[in-house]
Amino acid sequence: MKHEDLIEKLENLKTPEIELPGHRHTLKMALLNSGRFKERTIMDWAKILAPVATAVLLIAVLGLSAVIKPEPQPALLGENQISRFASYEELQDFINTNAQYTAFPWRDEFLAVVGEGAVPAPSSTNDYSTTNIQVAGVDEADIVKTDGEYIYLVSGNKTIIVRAYPPAQAQVLSEIELEGTVIGIFINGDRLVVFEEDTPYYPYNDIRWGPTGEFYMPLIISPKTSIKVYDVSDRENPRLQRELSADGQYISSRMIGDYAYVVINEPVYEQDGEPNLPRIYFGGNETEIPATDIYYCNVHDYYYMYTTIMTINTQNDDHEPTYETILLGASSNLYVSLNNIYLTFPVWERDVGDFGKTSIHRIHIEGAEIEPVASGEVPGMVLNQFSMDEYEGYFRVATTTYEGTSRNNVYVLDMALNITGSLEGLAPGEMIYSARFMGERGYLVTFKQVDPLFVIDLSDPRYPKELGYLKVTGYSDYLHPYDENHLIGIGKETTDQGEFAWYQGVKISLFDVSNVSNPQEISKYEIGHRGTDSPVLWDHKAFLFDKSRNLLVMPVLVAEVDESEYPEGVPSWAYGEPVWQGAYIFHISPDVGLNLTGRITHIESSADLEQDYYYLHSSFSVTRSLYIDDVLYTISDAKIQMNSLENLDYINEVQLLY
């Protein structure tokens, strides 16, 4: 099968006109929940599909003690108790007894599935935009950051520092080149935090026998994830100050105040007949984490992962890093508040079948302190981080269950992760496409043929209730608050004809929810035809919004159908061809709705446009935007372009590729 054919088949799993019962729906949710789903590279597809094929991990291991560990603390809160293993033998017995992975004749080879601040004080007096994050004070790593004077950005294995303001003096100041792939960055004053992953190599050269005969089995070398902290007080000469690494794959990270936190998954696999143990690397030493330092709870699963949370003080080089490891299933989503990390992973036990449930773990964080404190579970599957929220001592989560037909639910849990209230059975036959919690309200978008926007009352954690809903065509993949009474939705328009609802162009909606029993779509804007796409649909950090300026900016790949090819009328299923890629700039307000201000593109060649459309990625595709004072910066791998926010007139540009 060709690469593009494989991608088309997998991407069609997300089209609203296709329903997938049972385990096919499980595969769909695993793909959608993976932060890698939309990046569309061969390596990322290999990572996503790896649990379906199962694989062998080959790693050489050595160990010395290095990184500081907190004193063991009892952690017995919640319905599912969290404990530490008493010995390596207990860990080994737990894995051998509970692991249910039997999809292939060999059972002793495990594989990972991959899923997904106090914001630092600005170093500049300029007014500038920051990364679009979920929780105030909890920064999220991204491929582009700014401090109001400089722009820091990721390009492959490089991190580039650019003088950005004033725009007339914009230029590249320095590049940090690494051997691995840069996953994301933070900027905190004069400290630049870089997350690097050494990507595993997949040689398809090991022949195995399965239920249907001979096939090739990929051999996987485990990646290593590193946190590197650079002193960038001299932006032209960054200096590496600290480095902390662990075996396994980067899942996600946050920064709160001076502390950067990273979550890493490493599969449990057998080495010489015994389960491996995770390793940490710091200060030139290796530390094998002993079994007696590893937490677990009594949850059966098909396979197990070591989930390690590491933290490092980005400002104080004398402060030792800390870490904790929990034996879990594959962490698929996480939500982080100012004081807690919530890890979730799907559990598919024999007795629950297609119904499924989600296991939740709360890890308390406070500076360098990391302590697993509670575990719980809820029925159904979690879509992404926006399906979760913490508010006034309660954790709220939205899920979709599959038992005969799909249903959608909202659960409220206390800090021990016991369910205190629930609202179940919303929109039978549909599934959650987006969610957002805002104080005492929650908003869900479900979809099958139309898009119901549900307004949920969460003021009483014991009795969440539905207040009202709106049905419109299309659906929203991402919800963003405009203010307490208005929501922005980014998704796709759809047809509402016949048995299926075919998705069409990218749709931006502005919802008025001031009347909670009767929410309204007060403005909408549709871009392009079927095939039009935007990274905002799967990555909220590509979205730029500023209420004080009534500014909305998002990258879009526009596809349009040539109507001359369909003399009898364009069918709803017809895909358009690429005609444009770049940033759409809108003025948005409840009074005037959505008004297109203009568009900015970096692409001058039709070949680059087609390359981006067919999933190969053009270096001229705009992926991020930001503003500093009255200058809009649009960013691709190839360049940074500066335009006036007032009238979008061209100002300057900085070439990033030569």
Side-chain angles (χ1 to χ4, degrees), residues 288-412:
E288 182 177 81
I289 301 175
T292 52
D293 281 352
I294 297 175
Y295 289 90
Y296 74 100
C297 69
N298 192 27
V299 175
H300 298 256
D301 211 337
Y302 285 93
Y303 47 80
Y304 286 99
M305 304 282 293
Y306 294 117
T307 296
T308 298
I309 303 167
M310 303 192 299
T311 183
I312 191 168
N313 189 313
T314 63
Q315 307 297 313
N316 186 350
D317 296 336
D318 295 327
H319 198 285
E320 295 291 336
T322 56
Y323 65 89
E324 290 291 358
T325 298
I326 313 174
L327 181 70
L328 300 171
S331 298
S332 58
N333 287 293
L334 75 146
Y335 168 86
V336 183
S337 68
L338 287 169
N339 298 112
N340 293 292
I341 296 174
Y342 296 86
L343 297 172
T344 71
F345 64 93
V347 178
W348 298 96
E349 294 184 342
R350 294 186 181 98
D351 60 336
V352 295
D354 290 341
F355 182 70
K357 60 185 178 183
T358 293
S359 182
I360 307 169
H361 297 264
R362 180 170 74 90
I363 296 92
H364 179 72
I365 53 174
E366 188 171 351
E369 297 180 12
I370 310 169
E371 182 184 3
V373 290
S375 287
E377 61 186 34
V378 292
M381 311 300 291
V382 175
L383 177 63
N384 57 32
Q385 68 185 68
F386 292 98
S387 296
M388 300 179 282
D389 177 75
E390 180 189 288
Y391 182 72
E392 294 188 347
Y394 289 92
F395 179 69
R396 294 93 66 92
V397 58
T399 69
T400 300
T401 57
Y402 309 96
E403 189 178 28
T405 186
S406 59
R407 289 179 171 82
N408 305 285
N409 322 285
V410 175
Y411 297 97
V412 182

Side-chain angles (χ1 to χ4, degrees), residues 21 175 368:
E175 296 183 356

Side-chain angles (χ1 to χ4, degrees), residues 16 447-451 471-474 493-504 524 572:
F447 186 80
K448 181 178 179 181
Q449 287 184 285
V450 293
D451 168 3
K471 285 192 173 184
V472 292
T473 60
E493 183 59 279
T494 63
T495 64
D496 57 357
Q497 305 171 10
E499 183 180 357
F500 299 124
W502 300 95
Y503 67 78
Q504 303 297 308
K524 71 175 182 177
S572 298

Side-chain angles (χ1 to χ4, degrees), residues 558-609:
V558 182
E560 292 182 354
V561 174
D562 183 354
E563 296 184 7
S564 65
E565 295 183 2
Y566 302 94
E568 297 182 2
V570 178
S572 298
W573 48 261
Y575 271 93
E577 292 295 322
V579 296
W580 193 89
Q581 197 283 335
Y584 268 67
I585 300 96
F586 293 91
H587 178 280
I588 180 171
S589 70
D591 295 332
V592 301
L594 280 152
N595 286 325
L596 180 65
T597 303
R599 309 190 304 176
I600 295 171
T601 184
H602 293 191
I603 291 180
E604 299 177 0
S605 163
S606 59
D608 282 320
L609 185 62

Side-chain angles (χ1 to χ4, degrees), residues 344-626:
T344 71
F345 64 93
V347 178
W348 298 96
E349 294 184 342
R350 294 186 181 98
D351 60 336
V352 295
D354 290 341
F355 182 70
K357 60 185 178 183
T358 293
S359 182
I360 307 169
H361 297 264
R362 180 170 74 90
I363 296 92
H364 179 72
I365 53 174
E366 188 171 351
E369 297 180 12
I370 310 169
E371 182 184 3
V373 290
S375 287
E377 61 186 34
V378 292
M381 311 300 291
V382 175
L383 177 63
N384 57 32
Q385 68 185 68
F386 292 98
S387 296
M388 300 179 282
D389 177 75
E390 180 189 288
Y391 182 72
E392 294 188 347
Y394 289 92
F395 179 69
R396 294 93 66 92
V397 58
T399 69
T400 300
T401 57
Y402 309 96
E403 189 178 28
T405 186
S406 59
R407 289 179 171 82
N408 305 285
N409 322 285
V410 175
Y411 297 97
V412 182
L413 296 81
D414 59 22
M415 287 293 96
L417 295 185
N418 296 313
I419 295 174
T420 63
S422 63
L423 174 62
E424 298 180 310
L426 294 171
E430 302 180 6
M431 59 177 288
I432 293 174
Y433 268 61
S434 58
R436 194 81 191 218
F437 292 92
M438 296 164 53
E440 294 183 348
R441 290 188 198 167
Y443 301 93
L444 299 182
V445 168
T446 62
F447 186 80
K448 181 178 179 181
Q449 287 184 285
V450 293
D451 168 3
L453 170 70
F454 288 92
V455 183
I456 311 298
D457 178 14
L458 296 163
S459 57
D460 186 341
R462 298 169 300 171
Y463 303 106
K465 61 183 179 181
E466 176 191 327
L467 296 174
Y469 67 89
L470 165 69
K471 285 192 173 184
V472 292
T473 60
Y475 59 88
S476 297
D477 283 297
Y478 175 64
L479 293 174
H480 190 92
Y482 178 91
D483 58 26
E484 63 180 3
N485 290 318
H486 296 88
L487 276 175
I488 302 168
I490 311 292
K492 292 284 185 74
E493 183 59 279
T494 63
T495 64
D496 57 357
Q497 305 171 10
E499 183 180 357
F500 299 124
W502 300 95
Y503 67 78
Q504 303 297 308
V506 167
K507 176 186 175 184
I508 308 170
S509 299
L510 181 60
F511 300 105
D512 184 339
V513 293
S514 54
N515 182 352
V516 293
S517 63
N518 187 30
Q520 297 292 317
E521 183 182 55
I522 59 175
S523 182
K524 71 175 182 177
Y525 192 99
E526 183 180 355
I527 304 173
H529 300 152
R530 183 171 170 84
T532 300
D533 211 352
S534 171
V536 175
L537 302 182
W538 61 87
D539 186 354
H540 61 281
K541 288 171 281 192
F543 184 73
L544 171 61
F545 169 73
D546 187 275
K547 181 177 177 295
S548 65
R549 296 173 179 259
N550 289 319
L551 175 68
L552 187 160
V553 185
M554 55 185 284
V556 180
L557 171 66
V558 182
E560 292 182 354
V561 174
D562 183 354
E563 296 184 7
S564 65
E565 295 183 2
Y566 302 94
E568 297 182 2
V570 178
S572 298
W573 48 261
Y575 271 93
E577 292 295 322
V579 296
W580 193 89
Q581 197 283 335
Y584 268 67
I585 300 96
F586 293 91
H587 178 280
I588 180 171
S589 70
D591 295 332
V592 301
L594 280 152
N595 286 325
L596 180 65
T597 303
R599 309 190 304 176
I600 295 171
T601 184
H602 293 191
I603 291 180
E604 299 177 0
S605 163
S606 59
D608 282 320
L609 185 62
E610 291 175 359
Q611 183 182 51
D612 190 64
Y613 187 69
Y614 292 108
Y615 310 109
L616 297 174
H617 183 66
S618 166
S619 59
F620 290 93
S621 293
V622 173
T623 57
R624 292 291 187 272
S625 59
L626 59 90

Side-chain angles (χ1 to χ4, degrees), residues 44-58:
D44 291 333
W45 283 114
K47 291 178 183 178
I48 294 167
L49 295 176
V52 181
T54 315
V56 184
L57 292 156
L58 303 176

